């Protein structure tokens, strides 16, 4: 038994000696005889560090130069190759190829992107804003140029381009913001009427250039460059009230006209817009939206007067319009509205339902033809500073209607 055990131990010792004999005497995994990191590991680590540094240089937008980046790339790949060559497994072509591709992308990728995205002397126009409150346009110019010149041109239907404003700004680290007041470049509406052909229409173009032959052109919004109100319309409807007479079974209730409810529309309309029978207007038959109604986003005042013949019978408080917002003071009470469709006007009385209307006692002077005149005053524009519309006239027959206890024919409001 002891003989077998001794034989087994001898066999095991022989196997261990053969394994030790097969291992290199001068190299152990990752450690020199002195106990420090081995040279292959140091070279491979150093190679990646150099490649990362090359990537950081490339991220500077190429300011270090392509040659410097390429030298760093060669040094990094060389260190990686040396590290693999000195390692115990030797150079692995697959691993080396992958490492080389990653190194090229990391170091030259940002530089290449910088070349394709834009050179330091390019620029961009951004943040174009139409500011109705300040009555101006504003925009940013960003890029690697020292100075930008902005020009606003009008472009007529015949293609003739005319410069109407120009200015320059120096660009700092954050670019330059241009702010241009409308009154400094406005030369007329981009739209002047609906369903018409008008040779006076003008488009506006913003052109920004760097003085070196590079420019950027933007067409300005025609809604914003249509500033002048050129037309106004009126529509009316009667206000009815009930009057009681007598008492008990002998009492009667009669419905009478005691005034008018008035709506006004201002903007650009067909040149032949007109009042219609029944107190309507030709623009009241279309779609009820700002595009169809020709609403203008501008700054102007609106004055409504009721005339009989040449005599003014009543005047509405002046309406101030800023953009689309309309406001007026009616009897000490501040009223607000929006000129995005027909605007309900004020009056002199309020009924039990809160409806404001013009009471007949405050303007009516017997049956006859009454004209509802609208005067528009556009702010700081000279071509069409004042517009007076006097074509809205209707026959009002309140007396005939009320004296005869009604009668539809008496209140049709025929245009006159």
């Amino acid at each position: 038994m002891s003989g077998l055990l001794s034989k087994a131990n001898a066999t095991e010792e022989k196997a261990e000696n053969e394994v030790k004999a097969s291992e290199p005497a001068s190299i152990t995994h990752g450690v020199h005889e002195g106990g420090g990191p081995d040279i292959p590991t140091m070279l491979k680590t150093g190679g990646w560090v150099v490649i990362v540094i090359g990537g950081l240089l490339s991220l500077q937008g190429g300011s270090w130069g392509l040659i410097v980046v390429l030298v760093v790339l060669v040094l990094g790949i060389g260190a990686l190759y040396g590290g693999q060559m000195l390692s115990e497994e030797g150079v692995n072509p697959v691993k080396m190829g992958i490492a080389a591709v990653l190194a090229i992308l990391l170091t030259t990728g940002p530089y290449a992107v910088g070349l394709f995205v834009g050179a330091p002397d390019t620029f961009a126009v951004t943040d174009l804003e139409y500011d109705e409150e300040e009555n101006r346009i504003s925009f940013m110019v960003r890029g690697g140029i020292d100075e930008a010149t902005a020009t606003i041109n009008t472009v007529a239907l015949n293609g003739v381009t005319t410069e109407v404003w120009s200015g320059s700004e120096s660009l700092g680290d954050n670019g330059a913001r241009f702010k241009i007041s409308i009154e400094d470049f406005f030369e007329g509406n981009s739209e002047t009427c609906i369903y018409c052909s008008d040779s006076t229409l003008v488009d506006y173009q913003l052109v920004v250039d760097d003085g070196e032959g590079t420019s950027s052109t933007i067409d300005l919004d025609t809604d914003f460059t249509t500033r002048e109100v050129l037309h106004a319309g009126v529509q009316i409807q009667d206000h009815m009230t009930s009057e009681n007479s007598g008492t008990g079974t002998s009492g009667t209730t009669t419905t009478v006209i005691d005034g008018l409810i008035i709506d006004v529309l201002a903007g650009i309309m067909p040149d032949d817009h007109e009042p219609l029978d029944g107190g309507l207007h030709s623009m009241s038959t279309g779609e009820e939206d700002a595009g169809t109604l020709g609403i203008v986003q501008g700054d102007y005042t609106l004055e409504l007067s009721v005339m009989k013949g040449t005599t003014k019978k009543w005047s509405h408080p002046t309406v101030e319009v800023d953009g689309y917002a309309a406001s007026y003071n009616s009897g000490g009470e501040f009223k607000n509205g929006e000129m995005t469709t027909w605007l309900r006007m004020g009056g002199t009385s309020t009924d039990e339902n809160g409806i404001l209307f013009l009471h007949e006692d405050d303007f009516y002077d017997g049956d006859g033809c009454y004209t509802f005149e609208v005067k528009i005053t556009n702010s700081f524009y000279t071509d069409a500073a004042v517009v007076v519309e006097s074509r809205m006239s209707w026959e009002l027959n309140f007396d005939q209607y009320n004296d005869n206890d009604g009668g539809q024919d008496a209140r049709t409001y025929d245009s006159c």
Side-chain angles (χ1 to χ4, degrees):
M1 183 72 173
S2 60
L4 293 174
L5 181 61
S6 298
K7 186 176 179 179
N9 288 335
T11 302
E12 182 177 354
E13 289 176 1
K14 182 179 179 181
E16 290 176 353
N17 290 334
E18 289 177 353
V19 170
K20 290 180 180 178
S22 65
E23 293 182 351
S26 61
I27 299 179
T28 58
H29 295 296
V31 181
H32 281 293
E33 292 181 357
D38 62 68
I39 293 177
T41 301
M42 294 176 63
L43 286 174
K44 287 186 285 186
T45 302
W48 282 114
V49 170
V50 171
I51 290 171
V52 170
I53 293 174
L56 294 176
L57 295 177
S58 180
L59 284 173
Q60 302 302 312
S63 59
W64 284 86
L66 181 59
I67 294 179
V68 174
V69 174
L70 290 176
V71 169
V72 173
L73 172 63
V74 171
L75 291 176
I77 293 178
L80 287 175
Y81 179 81
Q84 284 198 19
M85 186 177 65
L86 295 177
S87 65
E88 59 184 73
E89 68 269 15
V91 177
N92 186 315
V94 176
K95 290 183 178 181
M96 194 63 212
I98 294 174
V101 171
L102 290 176
I104 292 172
L105 291 177
L106 184 60
T107 55
T108 64
Y111 185 84
V113 170
L115 291 177
F116 284 105
V117 169
D121 59 349
T122 61
F123 68 93
V125 180
T126 64
D127 302 332
L128 176 60
E129 298 177 355
Y130 300 93
D131 190 337
E132 181 61 40
E133 183 176 349
E134 298 294 335
N135 297 315
R136 69 188 182 193
I137 65 170
S138 64
F139 55 91
M140 287 291 298
V141 179
R142 294 185 171 93
I145 61 176
D146 295 328
E147 184 179 75
T149 298
T151 302
I152 295 181
N153 300 322
T154 60
V155 183
L157 287 180
N158 59 8
V160 175
T161 300
T162 304
E163 180 182 306
V164 293
W165 182 89
S166 181
S168 300
E169 294 284 349
S170 297
L171 273 66
D173 294 337
N174 298 319
R177 176 168 289 280
F178 286 76
K179 298 177 181 180
I180 310 171
S181 175
I182 299 170
E183 61 182 327
D184 289 342
F185 68 83
F186 186 81
E187 293 291 327
N189 277 357
S190 292
E191 296 180 16
T192 59
C193 58
I194 299 176
Y195 315 127
C196 70
S197 177
D198 188 346
S199 61
T200 65
L201 299 180
V202 292
D203 290 327
Y204 291 83
Q205 285 184 341
L206 168 65
V207 181
V208 179
D209 69 75
D210 61 358
E212 301 293 334
T214 302
S215 65
S216 177
T217 302
I218 299 173
D219 293 328
L220 297 183
D221 188 346
T222 57
D223 287 341
F224 195 74
T225 54
T226 299
R227 309 296 304 173
E228 293 178 327
V229 171
L230 304 179
H231 308 94
V234 177
Q235 60 184 14
I236 61 174
Q237 57 181 305
D238 49 39
H239 185 272
M240 312 292 289
T241 189
S242 297
E243 293 183 352
N244 299 318
S245 61
T247 59
T249 57
S250 62
T252 60
T253 300
T254 303
T255 301
V256 298
I257 301 173
D258 65 346
L260 290 175
I261 298 171
I262 306 173
D263 296 314
V264 171
L265 181 69
I268 52 173
M269 304 176 185
D271 288 333
D272 59 353
H273 75 92
E274 60 183 347
L276 302 178
D277 292 346
L280 296 176
H281 185 273
S282 56
M283 290 299 292
S284 64
T285 60
E287 296 289 336
E288 292 295 308
D289 63 72
T292 304
L293 292 176
I295 301 300
V296 169
Q297 186 179 21
D299 303 297
Y300 56 94
T301 61
L302 183 153
E303 300 171 67
L304 169 68
S305 300
V306 181
M307 317 280 292
K308 186 177 184 184
T310 59
T311 304
K312 183 181 295 186
K313 294 299 182 180
W314 179 77
S315 293
H316 188 280
T318 299
V319 179
E320 301 278 349
V321 182
D322 182 359
Y324 296 132
S327 61
Y328 59 89
N329 190 321
S330 179
E333 185 176 354
F334 197 70
K335 302 290 185 180
N336 291 307
E338 284 196 353
M339 189 62 79
T340 54
T341 182
W342 289 91
L343 178 67
R344 179 59 49 86
M345 303 298 282
T348 57
S349 296
T350 304
D351 66 14
E352 59 186 10
N353 297 317
I355 297 174
L356 192 62
F357 66 99
L358 174 59
H359 199 282
E360 65 169 337
D361 292 344
D362 297 309
F363 82 99
Y364 201 72
D365 188 19
D367 295 350
C369 182
Y370 288 77
T371 298
F372 295 78
E373 182 181 270
V374 179
K375 178 182 178 182
I376 299 290
T377 303
N378 291 292
S379 297
F380 59 73
Y381 310 133
T382 58
D383 290 345
V386 178
V387 174
V388 178
E389 291 278 20
S390 301
R391 70 184 79 182
M392 282 74 67
S393 299
W394 289 276
E395 291 282 352
L396 303 184
N397 300 307
F398 293 179
D399 293 340
Q400 180 182 350
Y401 180 88
N402 295 337
D403 292 344
N404 291 280
D405 297 328
Q408 186 66 27
D409 292 341
R411 49 188 288 263
T412 54
Y413 303 146
D414 292 336
S415 57
C416 56

